[in-house]
Amino acid sequence: SCVPASGCVPYLGDWMRAAVVLALLLIALPARSGEVEDAIGRGVAWLKKEQRPDGSFGQGPGETALALLALRHSGVPAADTVCTRAAAWLERALPDGTVYGAALGTLALLAQSPEKHRAEIAKLVGHLVKGQCRNGQWTYAYRSTTRKKAGDNSNTQLAILALAGARTRRVEVPDEVFVKCAKFFRESQNEDGGFGYAHNQRSRSYGSMIAGGAMALSFGAAVEDGTQFGSAALAGRTEVRRALDWIASDFAPDRNRDAGRAFGSKKKKRSDATWRHYWLWSLERACAASGVEKLGPHDWYSEGSRFLLESQKERGSWRDPEKELQATCFALLFLARSGQRVITPRDRDRVTTPR
């Protein structure tokens, strides 16, 4: 079973309850070890060198946004020229018509400066809200005259994370978006408690998709219950617990468990190493959203950090099977506990009730 980060919070009134939950979230986020800080520093140094003269990284807005998000959550100041140039490039390049671009762009600009980039963030959030499929998922492109019928659980988990981050920073996101998404995951949950990529493609349960489903279910439950994202009580919801129990049952941080079976012969990807750095970031986001510090006997953060410390390349990056830029960003986001940062309100984000 899953062990929440803290006990349930009794009813104390909306304002006081939000303050207590925030304090518990911050207490639950332990100080990083010197080894982890060193690994993050080396990863950041490598990543900075990958920026192009125009401010971009990798291929397109999605990878530039991913890099900016990793840099900011790894502690690089917003005023650092690498960050300001990346944010300026994103402002010019977005929207690009893709859910990945809109979702990662929202997260990156929220991390850079919610105030300075408010107009662009609101525009991207609007695209994500309008682009939700009729069944509650998202798919690759959102530019369409009609809502698409269905999508996939990879685009979906990044879209709902971006909307949760925006809502945390007091950008308006309708409740129905979260409720509809959670309804889809509840109704499509496999018998083993897990999720695959889509109903008609790689539908068998595997790690990264299950973690994304647990996160989306937690966000939906929080909105339905009127509780804070990341509340420890969310891990007790049956559908969330079933997904987290699947992950806990045979946990290993270096394996995107059952991905090899789910992918089969497609693109000759047969190993559970498939997208394993993405799996780790998905795991971190799921545990942040549901307030979980342990999966059964496993301290998921300590075990995942140990794997990343041991697999970091001499020059500071990570790779295999993902491309070096992607793997390094995913590793940094895990080590920095990015998901926790996305859904934890700052003082200026909290709504107070006049008395």
Side-chain angles (χ1 to χ4, degrees), residues 46-47 50 52 57-64 66-67 269 273-278 313 315-332:
W46 179 88
L47 185 55
E50 295 300 298
R52 294 195 180 95
F57 291 83
Q59 297 180 345
E63 290 193 352
T64 297
L66 184 66
K269 294 179 177 177
T274 300
W275 289 105
R276 65 179 166 200
H277 296 92
Y278 176 67
K313 304 302 180 185
R315 59 182 177 171
S317 62
W318 287 266
R319 64 171 301 153
D320 294 333
E322 302 101 327
K323 295 187 297 184
E324 198 165 13
L325 179 73
Q326 293 174 343
T328 300
C329 289
F330 294 144
L332 289 173

Side-chain angles (χ1 to χ4, degrees), residues 163-179:
L163 294 173
R167 186 180 175 106
T168 300
R169 298 290 177 260
R170 299 182 65 183
V171 178
E172 185 175 353
V173 182
D175 289 359
E176 177 60 23
V177 172
F178 296 95
V179 173

Side-chain angles (χ1 to χ4, degrees), residues 82-115:
V82 173
C83 295
T84 59
R85 289 168 59 223
W89 189 90
L90 285 173
E91 284 268 13
R92 296 191 300 271
L94 291 170
D96 68 342
T98 71
V99 168
Y100 282 132
L104 289 168
T106 296
L107 289 164
L109 294 176
L110 284 169
Q112 176 66 1
S113 174
E115 294 76 27

Side-chain angles (χ1 to χ4, degrees), residues 140-221:
Y140 281 92
Y142 59 75
R143 286 180 177 168
S144 176
T145 54
T146 59
R147 287 181 184 258
K148 295 188 177 181
K149 182 179 179 180
D152 64 79
N153 290 337
S154 181
N155 278 282
T156 297
Q157 63 177 287
L158 290 182
I160 204 67
L161 174 68
L163 294 173
R167 186 180 175 106
T168 300
R169 298 290 177 260
R170 299 182 65 183
V171 178
E172 185 175 353
V173 182
D175 289 359
E176 177 60 23
V177 172
F178 296 95
V179 173
K180 188 176 180 181
C181 183
K183 181 175 184 289
F184 162 78
F185 277 103
R186 279 196 297 270
E187 294 177 352
S188 64
Q189 194 164 23
N190 291 337
E191 289 186 9
D192 61 4
F195 303 95
Y197 177 76
H199 77 281
N200 60 350
Q201 185 180 1
R202 301 199 300 274
S203 60
R204 300 178 75 162
S205 301
Y206 64 102
S208 55
M209 293 302 107
I210 297 172
M215 178 191 70
L217 286 167
S218 296
F219 288 152

Side-chain angles (χ1 to χ4, degrees), residues 4-11 20-21 24 231-234 236:
S6 55
C8 299
V9 179
Y11 179 76
V20 170
V21 170
L24 290 171
S231 168
L234 299 173

Side-chain angles (χ1 to χ4, degrees), residues 302-322:
S302 293
E303 293 182 35
S305 296
R306 178 52 51 193
F307 164 68
L308 291 174
L309 291 175
E310 292 173 354
S311 60
Q312 188 174 24
K313 304 302 180 185
E314 187 174 345
R315 59 182 177 171
S317 62
W318 287 266
R319 64 171 301 153
D320 294 333
E322 302 101 327

